[in-house]
Amino acid sequence: MSKSTYKPIIDLVRKAAVVARGLGIQNILQPGLIKEMIIADLLGHKVMYAKRDADACSYDDPDEKYEYLSCKEGGNGQLDRMFKTPKEKRAESLRRITRNKKFFLAIFYKDDQMQCKIIYELDIKNVMKETNRQLDKSTNDISHVSFNENWARNNGIIVYEDKKPN
Protein backbone atom coordinates (compact mmCIF):
# COMPACT_ATOMS: atom_id res chain seq x y z
CA MET A 1 0.00 0.00 0.00
CA SER A 2 1.37 3.43 -0.94
CA LYS A 3 1.63 6.41 1.35
CA SER A 4 -1.29 8.85 1.08
CA THR A 5 -0.28 12.33 0.00
CA TYR A 6 -3.57 13.72 1.30
CA LYS A 7 -3.63 12.05 4.73
CA PRO A 8 -2.45 15.13 6.70
CA ILE A 9 -5.22 17.23 5.13
CA ILE A 10 -7.85 14.55 5.64
CA ASP A 11 -6.80 14.15 9.29
CA LEU A 12 -7.15 17.91 9.89
CA VAL A 13 -10.59 17.99 8.23
CA ARG A 14 -11.68 15.05 10.41
CA LYS A 15 -10.52 16.93 13.52
CA ALA A 16 -12.39 20.04 12.33
CA ALA A 17 -15.51 17.91 11.78
CA VAL A 18 -15.35 16.69 15.41
CA VAL A 19 -15.10 20.28 16.67
CA ALA A 20 -17.93 21.34 14.34
CA ARG A 21 -20.23 18.54 15.55
CA GLY A 22 -19.62 19.79 19.09
CA LEU A 23 -21.09 23.12 17.93
CA GLY A 24 -24.06 21.46 16.24
CA ILE A 25 -22.63 21.56 12.71
CA GLN A 26 -23.24 18.13 11.21
CA ASN A 27 -21.65 18.70 7.78
CA ILE A 28 -18.46 20.77 7.86
CA LEU A 29 -18.13 20.16 4.09
CA GLN A 30 -21.47 21.78 3.25
CA PRO A 31 -20.76 24.09 0.29
CA GLY A 32 -19.96 27.63 1.39
CA LEU A 33 -20.01 26.87 5.11
CA ILE A 34 -16.34 27.54 5.83
CA LYS A 35 -16.47 30.97 4.17
CA GLU A 36 -19.70 31.72 6.06
CA MET A 37 -17.86 30.87 9.30
CA ILE A 38 -15.01 33.21 8.36
CA ILE A 39 -17.44 36.06 7.56
CA ALA A 40 -19.53 35.46 10.70
CA ASP A 41 -16.39 35.43 12.84
CA LEU A 42 -15.25 38.77 11.40
CA LEU A 43 -18.69 40.37 11.84
CA GLY A 44 -19.58 38.86 15.22
CA HIS A 45 -22.55 36.86 13.88
CA LYS A 46 -23.76 33.33 14.56
CA VAL A 47 -23.77 30.95 11.59
CA MET A 48 -27.07 29.25 10.79
CA TYR A 49 -26.50 25.73 9.46
CA ALA A 50 -29.86 24.96 7.84
CA LYS A 51 -29.58 25.00 4.05
CA ARG A 52 -33.02 26.59 3.56
CA ASP A 53 -32.51 29.58 5.86
CA ALA A 54 -30.32 32.66 6.09
CA ASP A 55 -26.56 32.26 6.47
CA ALA A 56 -26.25 33.88 9.89
CA CYS A 57 -28.07 35.73 12.63
CA SER A 58 -27.40 38.02 15.56
CA TYR A 59 -26.26 36.31 18.77
CA ASP A 60 -28.64 38.62 20.66
CA ASP A 61 -31.67 38.15 18.39
CA PRO A 62 -31.92 34.97 16.27
CA ASP A 63 -34.75 36.59 14.28
CA GLU A 64 -32.27 39.20 12.98
CA LYS A 65 -30.96 37.33 9.95
CA TYR A 66 -28.15 38.02 7.53
CA GLU A 67 -27.29 36.74 4.08
CA TYR A 68 -23.70 36.43 2.91
CA LEU A 69 -22.50 36.51 -0.66
CA SER A 70 -18.83 35.92 -1.34
CA CYS A 71 -16.36 35.74 -4.16
CA LYS A 72 -12.67 36.08 -4.85
CA GLU A 73 -11.18 39.35 -6.07
CA GLY A 74 -12.60 40.25 -9.48
CA GLY A 75 -15.57 37.90 -9.12
CA ASN A 76 -19.27 38.15 -8.33
CA GLY A 77 -21.29 37.09 -5.32
CA GLN A 78 -24.41 35.29 -6.52
CA LEU A 79 -27.92 34.44 -5.50
CA ASP A 80 -28.49 31.16 -7.32
CA ARG A 81 -31.75 29.95 -8.84
CA MET A 82 -33.84 33.09 -8.54
CA PHE A 83 -37.16 32.80 -10.36
CA LYS A 84 -38.31 35.48 -12.78
CA THR A 85 -41.60 33.69 -13.38
CA PRO A 86 -44.15 32.50 -12.42
CA LYS A 87 -45.20 35.30 -10.07
CA GLU A 88 -45.52 33.02 -7.00
CA LYS A 89 -42.05 31.53 -7.48
CA ARG A 90 -40.57 35.00 -7.96
CA ALA A 91 -42.15 36.17 -4.70
CA GLU A 92 -40.73 33.09 -2.96
CA SER A 93 -37.27 33.80 -4.42
CA LEU A 94 -37.40 37.43 -3.28
CA ARG A 95 -38.18 36.28 0.29
CA ARG A 96 -34.59 35.00 0.33
CA ILE A 97 -33.72 38.70 0.38
CA THR A 98 -36.52 40.22 2.46
CA ARG A 99 -36.21 37.71 5.35
CA ASN A 100 -32.88 39.35 6.18
CA LYS A 101 -32.04 42.49 8.10
CA LYS A 102 -28.85 42.94 6.05
CA PHE A 103 -26.89 41.50 3.16
CA PHE A 104 -23.12 41.31 3.03
CA LEU A 105 -20.72 40.84 0.11
CA ALA A 106 -17.35 39.46 1.19
CA ILE A 107 -14.39 39.59 -1.18
CA PHE A 108 -11.62 37.05 -0.55
CA TYR A 109 -8.06 37.35 -1.83
CA LYS A 110 -7.47 35.56 -5.12
CA ASP A 111 -4.21 34.05 -3.85
CA ASP A 112 -5.53 33.15 -0.36
CA GLN A 113 -9.21 32.32 -0.34
CA MET A 114 -9.19 31.67 3.41
CA GLN A 115 -8.38 35.37 3.95
CA CYS A 116 -11.12 37.96 3.58
CA LYS A 117 -10.05 41.22 1.95
CA ILE A 118 -13.16 43.37 2.43
CA ILE A 119 -16.81 43.07 3.44
CA TYR A 120 -19.57 45.40 2.26
CA GLU A 121 -22.86 45.78 4.11
CA LEU A 122 -25.71 46.11 1.63
CA ASP A 123 -29.12 47.59 2.32
CA ILE A 124 -32.01 45.24 1.56
CA LYS A 125 -33.76 47.89 -0.58
CA ASN A 126 -30.70 48.23 -2.84
CA VAL A 127 -30.34 44.45 -3.14
CA MET A 128 -34.05 44.12 -4.02
CA LYS A 129 -33.83 46.89 -6.62
CA GLU A 130 -30.81 45.31 -8.32
CA THR A 131 -32.28 41.81 -8.13
CA ASN A 132 -35.54 42.95 -9.73
CA ARG A 133 -33.58 44.82 -12.42
CA GLN A 134 -31.57 41.71 -13.29
CA LEU A 135 -34.60 39.40 -13.19
CA ASP A 136 -36.66 41.77 -15.37
CA LYS A 137 -34.00 41.84 -18.08
CA SER A 138 -33.27 38.10 -17.92
CA THR A 139 -34.45 35.92 -20.81
CA ASN A 140 -34.66 32.87 -18.50
CA ASP A 141 -37.35 31.93 -16.00
CA ILE A 142 -34.62 30.95 -13.51
CA SER A 143 -31.48 33.07 -13.21
CA HIS A 144 -28.45 33.74 -11.07
CA VAL A 145 -28.38 37.30 -9.75
CA SER A 146 -24.86 38.62 -9.26
CA PHE A 147 -23.26 41.47 -7.36
CA ASN A 148 -19.69 42.59 -7.97
CA GLU A 149 -17.40 44.74 -5.87
CA ASN A 150 -17.98 47.88 -7.95
CA TRP A 151 -21.73 47.60 -7.36
CA ALA A 152 -21.17 46.97 -3.63
CA ARG A 153 -18.80 49.94 -3.36
CA ASN A 154 -21.45 52.20 -4.94
CA ASN A 155 -24.41 50.76 -3.01
CA GLY A 156 -23.04 49.64 0.34
CA ILE A 157 -20.67 50.51 3.14
CA ILE A 158 -17.40 48.87 4.15
CA VAL A 159 -17.80 47.08 7.49
CA TYR A 160 -14.51 45.14 7.40
CA GLU A 161 -11.25 45.73 5.59
CA ASP A 162 -8.12 43.65 5.95
CA LYS A 163 -5.05 45.65 6.77
CA LYS A 164 -2.73 43.22 4.96
CA PRO A 165 0.38 45.09 3.77
CA ASN A 166 0.73 45.19 -0.01
Side-chain angles (χ1 to χ4, degrees):
M1 183 171 277
S2 66
K3 182 180 176 201
S4 171
T5 305
Y6 308 110
K7 186 168 180 2
I9 296 169
I10 294 165
D11 289 344
L12 287 171
V13 172
R14 284 190 173 130
K15 287 178 185 174
V18 169
V19 173
R21 279 193 297 275
L23 297 172
I25 304 167
Q26 297 307 310
N27 181 9
I28 191 78
L29 300 177
Q30 178 178 312
L33 184 58
I34 300 296
K35 283 194 174 174
E36 290 168 9
M37 288 179 182
I38 293 168
I39 297 165
D41 192 56
L42 292 170
L43 297 178
H45 298 159
K46 180 180 179 184
V47 174
M48 297 175 69
Y49 315 117
K51 281 186 80 77
R52 300 280 178 228
D53 207 342
D55 294 325
C57 65
S58 165
Y59 275 104
D60 299 328
D61 181 1
D63 291 330
E64 186 173 302
K65 297 179 180 183
Y66 312 118
E67 191 71 23
Y68 300 153
L69 302 177
S70 67
C71 61
K72 63 184 178 181
E73 294 171 296
N76 296 303
Q78 284 190 163
L79 286 168
D80 294 340
R81 296 191 49 78
M82 296 291 287
F83 282 80
K84 175 180 181 173
T85 59
K87 211 184 279 188
E88 304 78 35
K89 291 259 192 193
R90 183 171 179 149
E92 188 179 325
S93 288
L94 293 174
R95 274 193 289 283
R96 290 173 51 197
I97 298 170
T98 59
R99 71 182 175 200
N100 298 289
K101 172 126 179 158
K102 296 178 184 167
F103 253 69
F104 296 90
L105 175 64
I107 312 292
F108 286 78
Y109 288 103
K110 209 181 283 188
D111 62 348
D112 182 359
Q113 292 184 46
M114 289 289 295
Q115 182 67 37
C116 187
K117 177 182 176 183
I118 194 165
I119 301 174
Y120 295 90
E121 179 183 303
L122 307 170
D123 185 80
I124 298 300
K125 289 181 216 145
N126 290 338
V127 174
M128 281 291 287
K129 182 178 177 183
E130 179 61 13
T131 299
N132 280 312
R133 186 191 72 75
Q134 288 186 39
L135 288 175
D136 288 344
K137 80 173 198 177
S138 175
T139 58
N140 301 317
D141 289 338
I142 303 172
S143 298
H144 299 314
V145 176
S146 63
F147 303 85
N148 63 32
E149 187 171 4
N150 286 336
W151 184 88
R153 190 178 302 115
N154 291 329
N155 292 278
I157 59 169
I158 296 171
V159 292
Y160 169 83
E161 191 165 15
D162 185 38
K163 301 301 182 202
K164 179 179 178 179
N166 293 337

